[in-house]
Amino acid sequence: MVVAIHLAMMFLHVAPSNTLSKQQGTLIGDYVYPEYEQNWKLFAPNPLQQNIAVQARAQVRTASGEARTTGWTDLTARDGHAILHNPLPSHAEQNQLRRGWEFYLNSHNAQNRSTGPRGELSERYIRRIVMSRLGAEWAGGGRAERVQVRSMTTPVSPPSWSTEKISEKPVYRVLPWWQVTADDLPEGATNP
């Protein structure tokens, strides 16, 4: 039954617009995005002109009640390390963080304000990725109360034969602090 529902939702998502997909568009969109989103970039790739590293930190409340802020952890570097020399890297290691960050950028303006109904969903998705990857690490020092995410964008250097001049200076996009809720924790995890 579950497989039939999944196939029906995916079919309605990719099929040409019809009465059922118009009536149930919100339901179908909520099911498909962001985990099953599809695009055609495989067939018309846009070469990278910049490297984007997604980093996170937390405000942790220790067992003694003291508040401390962790340092920035580079989640993108961890993903890169996980797939290095791995002949069969997982989809999550390769794409989850990158696609989640793209989802956030496409649903927020430069001032980090939501530009549509999917803004809150993208924020929750990023918080869940961060907590699934770092929550246990932070819990060793207490309870993560708030998280903050930023991106560091650096341009890809032009080839040696190019005369193009670019700035090597990284550009940061720092998001506001987000409160961690029970919904942001991985299934079965607790935030003491």
Side-chain angles (χ1 to χ4, degrees):
M1 181 66 172
V2 173
V3 172
I5 292 171
H6 173 74
L7 291 174
M9 293 295 235
M10 296 309 292
F11 173 79
L12 290 170
H13 174 68
V14 298
S17 183
N18 58 58
T19 305
L20 187 57
S21 66
K22 287 178 186 175
Q23 289 174 347
Q24 301 300 325
T26 302
L27 177 68
I28 294 166
D30 288 347
Y31 179 81
V32 171
Y33 296 107
E35 285 85 1
Y36 302 114
E37 182 178 8
Q38 299 176 15
N39 62 47
W40 294 98
K41 290 183 181 179
L42 173 66
F43 302 105
N46 183 12
L48 289 176
Q49 296 182 352
Q50 55 192 357
N51 289 317
I52 300 174
V54 178
Q55 303 167 341
R57 66 179 177 170
Q59 289 181 340
V60 177
R61 180 78 50 195
T62 65
S64 64
E66 179 185 342
R68 69 176 181 83
T69 301
T70 67
W72 290 103
T73 301
D74 192 334
L75 299 172
T76 304
R78 286 185 175 195
D79 282 359
H81 183 70
I83 64 173
L84 186 65
H85 306 298
N86 183 348
L88 300 169
S90 76
H91 175 72
E93 290 168 339
Q94 296 181 73
N95 298 311
Q96 182 185 47
L97 179 62
R98 179 182 56 82
R99 296 293 290 142
W101 187 249
E102 287 175 4
F103 180 38
Y104 178 86
L105 293 178
N106 290 333
S107 61
H108 288 76
N109 63 20
Q111 291 75 37
N112 297 316
R113 287 193 202 98
S114 176
T115 58
R118 293 176 38 196
E120 184 182 339
L121 176 64
S122 70
E123 291 173 13
R124 280 196 321 254
Y125 190 58
I126 291 291
R127 279 197 312 271
R128 287 178 181 173
I129 291 172
V130 168
M131 290 306 295
S132 71
R133 296 186 184 195
L134 297 174
E137 191 175 306
W138 290 332
R143 173 176 46 94
E145 293 183 333
R146 300 190 323 156
V147 296
Q148 187 176 35
V149 180
R150 74 177 182 186
S151 66
M152 181 180 72
T153 304
T154 53
V156 171
S157 299
S160 59
W161 45 263
S162 174
T163 59
E164 181 182 2
K165 302 287 186 227
I166 60 169
S167 171
E168 300 280 331
K169 184 178 178 188
V171 175
Y172 292 92
R173 179 172 180 164
V174 182
L175 305 188
W177 284 97
W178 289 327
Q179 194 70 34
V180 174
T181 68
D183 291 337
D184 299 327
L185 304 175
E187 192 171 317
T190 60
N191 199 7

